Amino acid sequence: MAPESTHCPQCDSPLRFLRDEVNETLDYVYTYLDDGRIPIDNNHVENCIRPVDLGRKNWLLAGQRMAGIMSLLQTAKLNSIEPFTWLHFVLTHLPTWKNSQLDQLLPLPGNTFSSST
């Protein structure tokens, strides 16, 4: 029996059929079964982000700004970027940096930072 509307009458969010969700889940299972390189769990990822997540909760005691800075420093460490070099680069270049290019200052793997510039 199909619903009268495609949206929830109480919260107005789109409705989905259970069969659609089961099909999506089965797609993931079939991918896992077809490719033996895919791990069955994500323990490696969870272990990598645990220090950042626990630190973020602890750093909130120092205030939201400090929590944000410490999260960025941990992100730099996780992406094999030396935190002091990254922070020195950001603090020296931020005053003249274009707002449209602020994402280039994030400690992500594709961005490069050098304390000598």
Side-chain angles (χ1 to χ4, degrees):
M1 177 181 207
E4 296 175 10
S5 173
T6 59
H7 287 78
C8 174
Q10 294 177 346
C11 65
D12 201 37
S13 64
L15 294 176
R16 295 183 57 184
F17 290 108
L18 180 60
R19 71 170 181 263
D20 296 337
E21 293 189 23
V22 169
N23 286 339
E24 286 180 18
T25 303
L26 285 177
D27 288 342
Y28 293 123
V29 171
Y30 291 140
T31 302
Y32 167 72
L33 293 174
D34 289 340
D35 190 350
R37 297 173 297 169
I38 299 174
I40 195 166
D41 56 25
N42 65 347
N43 287 341
H44 177 70
V45 173
E46 289 180 9
N47 289 336
C48 287
I49 66 171
R50 185 172 290 117
V52 176
D53 190 46
L54 291 175
R56 186 179 296 125
K57 289 178 184 175
N58 293 334
W59 300 322
L60 281 176
L61 298 174
Q64 287 185 337
R65 288 187 181 149
M66 188 62 181
I69 291 170
M70 295 304 287
S71 293
L72 287 170
L73 290 173
Q74 288 295 326
T75 302
K77 285 182 189 177
L78 288 175
N79 289 319
S80 301
I81 297 171
E82 205 282 312
F84 178 79
T85 302
W86 169 75
L87 192 58
H88 182 267
F89 181 88
V90 169
L91 292 178
T92 56
H93 290 85
L94 189 60
T96 59
W97 207 263
K98 294 180 183 178
N99 286 340
S100 61
Q101 297 175 332
L102 284 177
D103 58 335
Q104 295 174 1
L105 294 178
L106 293 174
L108 301 175
N111 298 340
T112 57
F113 309 99
S114 173
S115 60
S116 62
T117 57

